[in-house]
Amino acid sequence: MAVVSRGFGARRRESDPRLPPGQYLTEDFPVLSAGPTPRIDLDQWRFAIRSETGSQVSWTWDEFQALPIEDVDTDIHCVTRWSKLGTSWRGVSLDTLLESVESEAEYAMAHSYGGYTTNIPLDELRDGQAWVAFEFDGEPLDPEHGGPARLLVPHLYFWKSAKWVRGLTLMDDDEPGFWEQNGYNMHGDPWTEERYW
Amino acid sequence: MTVGGWQPARVVEAVGATPSARLLHLQVPGWPGNEAGQHVDIRLTAEDGYQAVRSYSIGSYGPGETIELAVDEIPDGEVSPYLVRDVLPGDELEVKGPLGGYFVWRPGGAAPVQLIAGGSGIVPLMAMVRAATDAGAAASVRLLYSVRTPEDAIYRDELERTATDGGVGLTWRYTRAAPDGWTGHVGRVDDDVLRAAVWEPGREPIFFVCGPTGFVEHVADALVGLGYPSARIRTERFGGG
């Protein structure tokens, strides 16, 4: 039984069935990251996937842009409790990218320019659930939001959608990434509030 | 760090800190203590069961069952106006925490510490100032605190006291209006301000930067531009929502 706070509720916001429990709507786009924003030149940019056997495939920016590109309209949910509904992105599906890699691995570690990491089960990256996105709202993705390209895994809390992503390492066993070592859940489903350890 | 469920908390003190912010002391039975820089989730429940949850930085640190929050009112906000204007000593709410294992400072490191706060971003950094002072490490800590006007500075009196002989090095930056008799410039934190207020690169300071998104983006970018390594700059941004 929750404790009732005397007099609270006068300024309540409308609830929306698209909001997972414990989330509130925001109209702007808050920025959360652990350090300064990295700046990456497109001619230096690479996205690489390394399998558990050590084989590697990588794309330059131009090669990446030549891949099939998808439009994605989705809601996003940050563990700090804001949610943003109906966001629009463009990017390359992880299904497309993972086709180039032979792997039996079950987990992936996403690596970012700037050193950030986050772990994600490969099942959560396949079947139209995840992209490497480089446009937001019809514009190139802003650096403070992860540009030139970020992971987009909208069905998990947004710390899994690694900004400034540079690649994936596929792993047989799960390992914690940056926030996972610092108190956040290994999986991160917003609908079951997998926020912390 | 294992975070338990929601714990009841009672407001034991609520005092104004600035025209828009209030210091709340919450008594949390069984609170395990917290490190300097951690935060807490606050849950409010209305009589009809409606709930809202927000995160707030903790201005206090260490053991004990009372924690201090400084809540700044967000215009058109849902939770902060209640905490700043309505809640009274004796009222109850719920907390979960302490949370956050990255934006924390522990005494004992050899590197000097540079704290840079914008507005209510001072709160987690104040916990670090207090922890450093209590640990006898204040002389290795500098704080650059940017506020619009002198009245907007949370913890002004305590910071001024702490910054006396051998204490934390304190630099104010006023972006709109300075106190009477102020001889420095007024404006946002820029490279000149950082060069004057911040430990020089050769001292290899570790940074904790906290404030609104635009402020933190600007300061962190400027620090990288001045030659400080990204890996030593920890940031916490807030705003929006």
Side-chain angles (χ1 to χ4, degrees), chain A residues 89-143:
Chain A
W89 307 79
R90 276 165 68 78
V92 175
S93 169
L94 262 295
D95 292 320
T96 302
L97 298 167
L98 289 167
E99 273 173 19
S100 308
V101 186
E102 266 195 42
S103 174
E104 303 291 320
E106 293 184 28
Y107 300 93
M109 186 73 77
H111 295 267
S112 297
Y113 290 95
Y116 180 77
T117 55
T118 189
N119 56 310
I120 309 157
L122 268 168
D123 277 354
E124 309 284 358
L125 296 178
R126 292 194 165 110
D127 301 325
Q129 296 188 95
W131 296 264
V132 172
F134 49 83
E135 275 187 26
F136 175 76
D137 255 355
E139 301 286 339
L141 188 58
D142 192 280

Side-chain angles (χ1 to χ4, degrees), chain A:
Chain A
M1 181 63 195
V3 170
V4 170
S5 293
R6 180 200 57 82
F8 172 67
R11 299 172 184 84
R12 73 179 59 185
R13 295 190 175 171
E14 298 212 5
S15 62
D16 188 304
R18 292 173 293 174
L19 278 182
Q23 298 292 112
Y24 64 90
L25 274 178
T26 185
E27 297 299 326
D28 56 9
F29 197 165
V31 175
L32 290 162
S33 18
T37 295
R39 315 276 160 177
I40 303 107
D41 290 338
L42 293 185
D43 54 3
Q44 300 290 316
W45 185 88
R46 297 287 184 279
F47 184 81
I49 301 178
R50 194 170 68 204
S51 79
E52 71 277 21
T53 62
S55 66
Q56 182 164 305
V57 56
S58 77
W59 294 265
T60 64
W61 186 258
D62 289 342
E63 289 165 348
F64 196 79
Q65 298 293 319
L67 296 170
I69 290 167
E70 298 182 6
D71 290 305
V72 184
D73 289 301
T74 188
D75 305 334
I76 57 177
H77 313 291
C78 179
V79 69
T80 63
R81 300 184 181 277
W82 57 263
S83 289
K84 196 169 170 58
L85 303 179
T87 60
S88 62
W89 307 79
R90 276 165 68 78
V92 175
S93 169
L94 262 295
D95 292 320
T96 302
L97 298 167
L98 289 167
E99 273 173 19
S100 308
V101 186
E102 266 195 42
S103 174
E104 303 291 320
E106 293 184 28
Y107 300 93
M109 186 73 77
H111 295 267
S112 297
Y113 290 95
Y116 180 77
T117 55
T118 189
N119 56 310
I120 309 157
L122 268 168
D123 277 354
E124 309 284 358
L125 296 178
R126 292 194 165 110
D127 301 325
Q129 296 188 95
W131 296 264
V132 172
F134 49 83
E135 275 187 26
F136 175 76
D137 255 355
E139 301 286 339
L141 188 58
D142 192 280
E144 68 185 48
H145 292 302
R150 74 179 299 161
L151 207 56
L152 178 65
V153 194
H155 69 292
L156 299 177
Y157 281 126
F158 221 42
W159 90 80
K160 297 289 186 182
S161 294
K163 295 177 178 179
W164 316 296
V165 71
R166 63 185 301 173
L168 300 177
T169 302
L170 309 185
M171 314 181 292
D172 289 323
D173 299 307
D174 203 7
E175 289 175 23
F178 176 82
W179 285 124
E180 294 81 9
Q181 293 170 38
N182 284 287
Y184 284 173
N185 189 273
M186 290 289 276
H187 183 236
D189 180 351
W191 293 94
T192 54
E193 292 203 73
E194 292 177 332
R195 296 175 188 276
Y196 317 114
W197 290 349

Side-chain angles (χ1 to χ4, degrees), chain B residues 46 82 114 120 139 207 219 229:
Chain B
Y82 174 79
Q114 181 67 52
S120 59
F207 289 87
V219 168

